[in-house]
Amino acid sequence: MRELTPATLIVGRLGLAAATLALLVPFAVGTRETLLQLRQNAAWLVVVALVNTAIPFWLLSWGETRIDSGLASIIQAAVPIFNALLAFVAFREVRVTGSRLLGVAIGFVGVALLVGAQPEGKVLGALAVVGMAFCYGVGGLLTGRHLSPVPPIVVALASTAIATLVALPFGAAQAPHDLPGWKTIGSVVALGVPGTAIAYLLFFGLITGAGAAYTSLVTYLIPPIALAYGAVFLDERFGAAAFGGLALILCGVALGTGGVRVPRLRRARFTGETRFPP
């Protein structure tokens, strides 16, 4: 982010991911089957590429020019909260009720705490990452509803290739005049190949097998890892608001996805005893 603009970083990252997946897809699915799936599902592949890749990648990259990586990772943990909210509004097949809605409310309090605690110059950066989490929620649910029969590697290839084409004019216009250093180039390669191509294979495979709601739970792992990396490698420091927001978001995710349930009191028949269900 110090040597490349967000748009240029996205083109490099997604272009490498698309090239890697293009090399793998003939062996995994076959060229003829891949072209057939692309033609039959072109409309939803474009929608998912925009909502789940092009837009959130730009929002995250732009947001991280203004806020610390650890804070961005904490906000990203709210993806399951948006999954639960969107499911309640528009996706009846995975709708949440009861204690799960309580979890959504608690999680949003955590997000609001994090955004509200930012200095004036960093609020937009935090809101950009919130927008990224919202996009991931929409993208995961759309993928589960409309693209579950499509091989995950085909969805991953279409998402990265289409998003690369969308970002290419902006990335090329903002590209640096001089070749970046080897650390920057190595970082883009690491983000593009294992961090996007291989990760997308796993991501879309999980959505196909387990559903969008459970797949979004991988965001549990992001904050502790990113906080540790940010502290060790980037000398980032976080206050009580960051950890308080993280606690509220994770509590909301646990309730909102059904991982933790609020016990309900039950009256025993013929007695005044009150007990919890087993």
Side-chain angles (χ1 to χ4, degrees):
M1 301 310 301
R2 295 188 178 98
E3 296 187 55
L4 299 176
T5 65
T8 304
L9 172 62
I10 290 168
V11 170
R13 177 181 180 178
L14 291 176
L16 286 169
T20 302
L21 292 165
L23 293 174
L24 296 175
V25 76
F27 302 99
V29 178
T31 303
R32 181 176 297 180
E33 178 65 18
T34 298
L35 293 175
L36 177 64
Q37 294 289 345
L38 291 174
R39 285 196 302 269
Q40 291 180 342
N41 302 278
W44 284 113
L45 286 170
V46 170
V47 171
V48 168
L50 294 175
V51 175
N52 199 72
T53 302
I55 297 173
F57 271 40
W58 185 86
L59 288 171
L60 177 62
S61 299
W62 185 84
E64 285 199 287
T65 63
R66 286 157 173 78
I67 63 175
D68 291 335
S69 65
L71 176 60
S73 73
I74 293 173
I75 298 174
Q76 190 170 348
V79 172
I81 302 297
F82 286 107
N83 257 305
L85 178 64
L86 291 164
F88 178 78
V89 174
F91 292 79
R92 295 179 178 274
E93 64 270 27
V94 288
R95 177 168 288 188
V96 298
T97 56
S99 62
R100 295 190 176 191
L101 287 180
L102 174 63
V104 171
I106 293 174
F108 271 113
V109 171
V111 173
L113 173 63
L114 286 172
V115 174
Q118 300 310 305
E120 184 176 350
K122 295 186 176 183
V123 170
L124 287 179
L127 287 175
V129 183
V130 172
M132 175 219 65
F134 177 82
C135 286
Y136 278 152
V138 175
L141 289 167
L142 290 176
T143 301
R145 173 182 283 183
H146 299 287
L147 296 176
S148 57
V150 183
I153 191 171
V154 176
V155 180
L157 173 61
S159 294
T160 53
I162 293 168
T164 300
L165 293 175
V166 171
L168 185 58
F170 306 98
Q174 299 177 26
H177 298 292
D178 300 321
L179 186 68
W182 68 268
K183 290 184 179 180
T184 298
I185 294 174
S187 297
V188 174
V189 171
L191 285 171
V193 180
T196 304
I198 305 304
Y200 261 34
L201 282 176
L202 299 174
F203 176 75
F204 288 117
L206 281 171
I207 290 178
T208 300
Y214 283 100
T215 301
S216 69
L217 295 180
V218 299
T219 54
Y220 268 136
L221 301 173
I222 295 174
I225 295 173
L227 286 171
Y229 283 175
V232 173
F233 297 111
L234 300 177
D235 197 30
E236 296 177 352
R237 297 292 181 265
F238 305 96
F243 290 105
L246 174 61
L248 288 170
I249 289 172
L250 293 183
C251 178
V253 167
L255 288 170
T257 58
V260 173
R261 296 182 183 276
V262 177
R264 290 180 294 182
L265 292 174
R266 185 174 65 187
R267 292 282 179 182
R269 187 173 296 179
F270 304 124
T271 73
E273 178 190 1
T274 300
R275 65 172 183 248
F276 287 98

